[in-house]
Amino acid sequence: MWDDAFPSFLIGLREGLEAGLIVSVLVASLVRAGAKSRLPQVWTGVLAAIALSMSFGAVLTFTAASLSTAAQEAFGGTLSIVAVAFVTAMVFWMRRSARSLAGEIKEKVTEALAMGAGVLVLTSFLAVGREGLETALFLWTTARAANESAGPLTGAGIGLVLAAVLCWGLYRRVLSINLTRFFTATGAVLIVIAAGVLGYGLRDLQEGGVLPGGTAYAVDLSGSVDAGSWYSTLLQGVLNLTPTMTWLQVAGYVGYLGVVMTLFVRGVRGVGVLGVAPTPTPAPAPAPTPSRTASAAPDPTGPAPTRRRPAWLVPVAVVAVPAVLAGLVVALARPKPAGGETVAVSAKDCGQGFTAPEPGRRTFQMRNTGDQTSEVYLIDPATDAVYGEIEGLAPGTTRDLVATVAGGTYAWRCVPSDGKAVTSKAVRVGGAAGAGAVLPVSERDLAGPLRAYKAYVNRGLATLVTETRTLSDDIRSGHLDRARAAWLTAHRTYASLGAAYGTFEDFDQKINGRPDGLPGGVHDKDFTGFQRIEYGLWHDRPAGELTGPARQLAADAAGLRKAFPHQDFDPSDLPLRAHEILENTLQFELTGDTDQGSGTGLATADANLAGTRELLTVLRPLLTTRAPHLLPTVDADIARLGALLDAEHRDGRWTPVDRLGRTAKDRIDGATGQLLEDLSPVPDLLEIRKSA
């Protein structure tokens, strides 16, 4: 989050200071001209500019969300380049105009005072509005590049608040800042940031199909650079430099930075020092309005006195009008249900009312007209690939199904809770293909991987029985040093079977239960299994005290081996465990939460990684056909995390988690987090769907 906040902080500070200086000069000029009564007109223009800027940001956000994936990339890339152009122009304009800024504004204020209230409102609106629109556009592009809005918005908010404080201090003459040097330094930094935004925008245009060369990589360090490390995250958040960049990105980044920075540095040499606080020359006082004499009486035959409008009317109007206009743009830009009609869902009328939609992001109103709860799928009838779905649509209810439509063939498939699947007539949508679809998975598809994984677990349990017996024998014989080594071997074997723990039922609590929640904690009579023995072995408990728990662990392992072939193993658990094993690893092993004294959390994490690798091996055929680009990325993530864990295994000993150096800990956590992120699509890709 915070790495994404810096660029927005800088733009908020700089743009806020520019706008604040302009407002400060406007206010100071009016005060010195004896026209304090005109200050509400300045603030009205400022409010209108803020409302316009916020409305512009809303339009960008919501209209982009209604586009197809490819169109969103093209739209975002185009606006990123526009933002770079605005920021570049702003940097050069302020460098050139800083010294004469106060004088120009005072001149405009003098003219506005002579011409009326509307001109003064317009002057402040135009002065602040330009900065606001630039800020909104740059914030939108940085938030899109960061894939989150909290960091950029927080950074911009802090920058704007700091800018307001600085402007107040300058206006009150309590601060002394060399503004020329400030704008020069921030301008140079913004040029570097803008180069990264340009590179990101070019990449978006490549992914949107507007520019070629999307697969021509000039730099590909994904196999050697830890994408989750603090330095990698910082570079990506601040400079938009990623481990993988195309030739066009590199050329755009280097070319922009080389040309623009050279021109900027050359121009800096001719810039003088800007004054600290505005000292506007008093504007000529407006001519006094002739006062009425006491004897002057209103003409009874003259026009009736006009009613004065409320003072709040204009400020409210200038704020409300941009917001209303933005709402209209967003409402008109958002997609409507295909054909404006409801699509029927039932065993008899599946898809009735469905007509060929226009390409783009579409919302379909699905109405269950039957008497059974149904699953609803928008599919490609040729491949059964799913574009969108609704689960559990009850009779008589209507729900929206949102899907991206591109060139291709579409149909509805309705699957009643107690009936056969029904497929509607297909429709053809013209245009280029590009809508994302998921090939459905059935229980039959997962039957082979499930058999292979159960065989792996059976072999692991056979090994576990032998290893726990060895552990028990060592403890009974009093060989506690050998018992510690035997404990680690057996515990790693059990940890490598992680995808099956959901089917181990009560055996998992007996074999690997934690003391959390037990009334007596580590001394509770119900604290058993690996962690009970770990606590005793590494807290110098006598062998006699551990003999019973060790014998019970061996018996439970043998019982699990016997029971496992007869336990239910839901095929849908396999895709879920691909993600959950390492989620538990990050939450427990890599925090030291499960450590009872052995300091072997990294050894357990390594065993969990081995279990994840085995699980992906049996799922590989299904994933290869559905996400061919996913597995190479995941394989590289696993290799990276494995290498980091191996580096902490020296001379047969594992580094305890609490003794890891800060850098090593961050790298391991980052690599695990990156692997989790890349594994996150697996459950959705391999979800069992009734449409299959």
Side-chain angles (χ1 to χ4, degrees), residues 246-331:
T246 64
W247 282 105
L248 182 60
Q249 282 182 278
V250 173
Y253 185 93
V254 174
Y256 172 88
L257 194 60
V259 173
V260 176
M261 187 63 79
T262 300
L263 294 175
F264 182 78
V265 171
R266 286 181 179 176
V268 166
R269 298 170 183 171
V271 178
V273 178
L274 179 65
V276 171
T279 55
T281 303
T289 303
S291 60
R292 293 182 176 180
T293 62
S295 60
D299 183 0
T301 63
T306 58
R307 177 181 297 179
R308 297 186 63 185
R309 62 174 178 264
W312 52 264
L313 182 60
V314 173
V316 170
V318 298
V319 172
V321 169
V324 171
L325 292 177
L328 290 174
V329 171
V330 170

Side-chain angles (χ1 to χ4, degrees), residues 370-439:
D371 56 2
Q372 296 184 52
T373 299
S374 294
E375 311 288 316
V376 187
Y377 301 93
L378 180 62
I379 65 167
D380 179 348
T383 63
D384 289 335
V386 176
Y387 293 96
E389 62 187 293
I390 293 178
E391 297 181 355
L393 183 62
T397 60
T398 301
R399 284 163 59 187
D400 286 349
L401 186 152
V402 180
T404 299
V405 176
T409 305
Y410 297 84
W412 293 103
R413 182 162 291 167
C414 307
V415 187
S417 57
D418 187 18
K420 295 182 178 180
V422 180
T423 305
S424 73
K425 182 178 69 173
V427 300
R428 178 73 185 174
V429 176
V438 177
L439 287 174

Side-chain angles (χ1 to χ4, degrees), residues 574-576 578 616 619 623 630 678-687:
L574 283 180
L576 292 173
L616 291 173
L619 295 176
L623 290 171
L630 175 65
D678 291 333
L679 283 173
S680 60
V682 172
D684 185 62
L685 289 170
L686 301 185
E687 178 186 353

